[in-house]
Amino acid sequence: MTSTGKVWFVGAGPGAADLLTLRAARVIADADVVIWAASLVHADVLAHARPDAEIVDSSQLPIEGVLPLYRRAAADGLTVARIHSGDPALWGAVQEQLDLCRALDLAVEIVPGVSSFTAVAAIVGRELTIPEVAQSVILTRLEGGKTPMPAGERVRDFARHGTTMALFLSAARAGQAQTELLAGGYPADTPVVVAYQATWPDELVVRCALGDLAATVKEHRLWKHTLFLVGPALAATGTRSHLYHPGHFHTFRRAEPAARAELRRSRATAAEDATP
């Protein structure tokens, strides 16, 4: 017989409970069982749970400790809200849980959440993709941690792109991170945002140059729950997107002819400058 149980994997966002999506709040409110990690998720999100919901702190449980809850959900037709920090798509150990739930014939669904890298960008009031400066964002972590990095995914290799990078799970080895970023080609004066517990009550967000990254982390005694944003876009000014240029057209807006000609000339000049 097909199970009527279901597990929702809910992105809790970076910390602040009011950064939950409306869907996330609804799912938590409807759940029979709410599983959350006290070490990663702010307790305020539990305010959305029903008074009679079973609340389980998974911070001290391996996946084998959570599996009996999934088995009970399958057997009894329960709805489980499994709350993950940030967005479940990033370093959430979600895929292995999805596989287990499907093996138990449990329905599964994922609710995306606000990632800490976008929350930090909002806190410092910066766009991470600046025209003519950076049009890509690399999300990664330093190699050598608990989970091995695949071949070709070294920080110094990513740094060679010179674009915006969000470096997760790396504060405990800030000196190594600084060395790798510099070795990859970022100049020592590249701007860096160091963010600890972004959107939590004890949030700490500081700026520094890449050459001062390790010293900054040491000064503030940071070693976990810290994100680095790195790249020239964090200080760039004076550029303009073509999206809202009067010479740009799309389905809902016509281009102004003179502005269109100007935009074409600027693109041609940029292409010539980029030619070796």
Side-chain angles (χ1 to χ4, degrees), residues 113-127:
V114 175
S115 177
S116 58
F117 83 94
T118 57
V120 173
I123 290 167
V124 298
R126 297 298 309 185
E127 182 179 355

Side-chain angles (χ1 to χ4, degrees), residues 52-111:
D52 63 335
E54 180 180 354
I55 309 296
V56 179
D57 178 6
S58 64
S59 60
Q60 299 184 31
L61 298 176
I63 195 168
E64 288 79 6
V66 177
L67 186 55
L69 297 169
Y70 293 158
R71 288 185 175 133
R72 182 149 54 88
D76 299 342
L78 302 177
T79 298
V80 176
R82 177 70 162 96
I83 304 176
H84 284 258
S85 60
D87 185 289
L90 298 174
W91 297 285
V94 168
Q95 192 59 52
E96 59 202 63
Q97 296 181 76
L98 291 170
D99 294 341
L100 287 172
C101 289
R102 287 167 179 152
L104 293 170
D105 205 21
L106 278 165
V108 293
E109 195 165 341
I110 299 173
V111 180

Side-chain angles (χ1 to χ4, degrees), residues 129-200:
T129 52
I130 302 295
E132 304 173 38
V133 177
Q135 288 293 282
S136 304
V137 180
I138 296 171
L139 312 179
T140 191
R141 64 175 181 79
L142 189 63
E143 59 272 13
K146 296 178 181 178
T147 302
M149 294 288 280
E153 293 193 18
R154 297 190 308 165
V155 165
R156 72 169 61 193
D157 294 331
F158 289 136
R160 292 192 176 104
H161 295 282
T163 189
T164 307
M165 186 183 297
L167 199 56
F168 294 74
L169 307 171
S170 303
R173 291 170 292 134
Q176 181 186 349
Q178 177 178 316
T179 298
E180 292 296 303
L181 291 164
L182 290 170
Y186 282 117
D189 61 353
T190 300
V192 178
V193 175
V194 179
Y196 167 78
Q197 295 274 77
T199 80
W200 288 62

Side-chain angles (χ1 to χ4, degrees), residues 9 14-16 21 55 105 127 145 157 188 197 208 226 229 248:
F9 293 93
T21 65
I55 309 296
D105 205 21
E127 182 179 355
D157 294 331
Q197 295 274 77
C208 67
T226 302
L229 291 181
H248 178 71

